[in-house]
Amino acid sequence: MKHFKKIITVLLCLFTVAGLCACNKEDEAPKEELKDNVPVITEEVKVEQVTDFEAKESPKSQLDVTVDDWLKIISIGEKNGVLSVFVRNISDEDIEYAMLSVMTGDGRAEFPITTLTAGASATLRCKNGYTFKEGAVYYSWEIENKTVFTDELTCYPDIFEINGTDGFISIKNISDKDIEGRIYIYYKNVTDGVYDDGVTYRAYVDGLKKGETTQVQTMHYLKDSSRILFVSYGE
């Protein structure tokens, strides 16, 4: 009977250890999946949800069309008094740069695009100062100078720890080696889940020793409305 109790006790211990091991594996798996998770916007945001962008009626214009097989023109209107468009990248590519343009009747309005990630939406403001005009027909949309990111966007979470607050971005070298080259941190501002304008901002640091932390002052970074998109650096 004593031997039987010992056997039962040993078996219970083995089951307990096996259960703990299984739990540890399940706990670690999500960490691996989130290790290199760059924050990007991919939700289907509606025009009327976006603050400051005012969609305008333009029944004779070319809207709800796709340009160059990847950029959907959803709406046209104004943002802070400037002619603006609401667009969405419907492709699976991260766009590094492109120039969107449209005929307005008075000329061709241009809207620069930088870092429009796959699935993301943006409000783009006209760079050459046009305003929305009632009755104008917006037609002949074109894309020029499109370039695509050839590498996956990353913040190198195994090398850098990045945090931001209003007006500042802090970056720490958490790797086991010194980074001698310049480190660039790219970010965009966001309103209601949509990228603001076509602008991508960047801050930089001239190298970081292992374990070193530094803080960069920025003009445009806001803790609650900016998103760091990716990092690039030289060895």
Side-chain angles (χ1 to χ4, degrees):
M1 188 68 178
K2 289 182 180 180
H3 291 298
F4 180 74
K5 288 182 178 180
K6 286 182 180 179
I7 292 171
I8 294 298
T9 304
V10 170
L11 288 173
L12 286 172
C13 290
L14 288 173
F15 285 132
T16 302
V17 170
L20 289 171
C21 291
C23 289
N24 286 338
K25 287 181 181 178
E26 290 173 359
D27 289 342
E28 289 171 1
K31 294 177 184 177
E32 284 296 314
E33 292 172 6
L34 296 175
K35 180 181 177 182
D36 200 17
N37 186 23
V38 179
V40 296
I41 302 172
T42 56
E43 55 263 23
E44 290 282 313
V45 182
K46 295 180 180 179
V47 178
E48 58 269 21
Q49 295 174 335
V50 184
T51 305
D52 294 334
F53 180 84
E54 185 179 357
K56 299 283 189 176
E57 291 293 330
S58 187
K60 295 182 181 180
S61 299
Q62 294 176 331
L63 297 176
D64 199 28
V65 296
T66 301
V67 188
D68 200 31
D69 296 326
W70 67 272
L71 189 70
K72 187 172 184 179
I73 310 298
I74 297 173
S75 182
I76 194 163
E78 288 184 335
K79 188 171 183 179
N80 300 323
V82 179
L83 178 66
S84 301
V85 291
F86 185 96
V87 300
R88 180 169 295 127
N89 179 357
I90 60 172
S91 76
D92 58 0
E93 295 181 317
D94 296 325
I95 305 303
E96 183 175 6
Y97 177 82
M99 179 66 77
L100 171 69
S101 66
V102 64
M103 289 302 298
T104 68
D106 293 331
R108 183 163 286 277
E110 296 182 327
F111 307 86
I113 302 170
T114 63
T115 321
L116 187 59
T117 49
S121 299
T123 53
L124 309 176
R125 287 197 292 178
C126 174
K127 79 165 191 175
N128 43 354
Y130 286 102
T131 57
F132 182 87
K133 292 186 177 180
E134 299 288 346
V137 179
Y138 299 93
Y139 64 99
S140 185
W141 296 94
E142 292 183 2
I143 292 287
E144 294 181 335
N145 303 323
K146 172 190 169 186
T147 55
V148 177
F149 286 100
T150 55
D151 297 322
E152 185 177 357
L153 302 185
T154 177
C155 291
Y156 297 102
D158 54 336
I159 299 175
F160 303 112
E161 183 178 282
I162 305 172
N163 294 288
T165 187
D166 291 353
F168 293 91
I169 295 175
S170 66
I171 180 169
K172 180 179 181 180
N173 180 356
I174 59 173
S175 74
D176 58 358
K177 63 179 181 179
D178 297 338
I179 306 295
E180 302 294 341
R182 180 168 285 188
I183 305 161
Y184 288 101
I185 305 163
Y186 295 83
Y187 67 95
K188 292 180 81 77
N189 287 333
V190 176
T191 298
D192 301 323
V194 173
Y195 290 136
D196 286 335
D197 304 331
V199 181
T200 301
Y201 301 103
R202 73 178 185 181
Y204 70 86
V205 177
D206 283 323
L208 270 180
K209 302 293 184 184
K210 60 181 179 181
E212 181 184 4
T213 302
T214 191
Q215 193 174 61
V216 186
Q217 188 170 8
T218 68
M219 291 181 61
H220 305 285
Y221 190 90
L222 297 172
K223 181 180 179 181
D224 295 330
S225 58
S226 297
R227 293 201 184 190
I228 295 172
L229 299 175
F230 67 100
V231 171
S232 67
Y233 71 98
E235 295 288 345

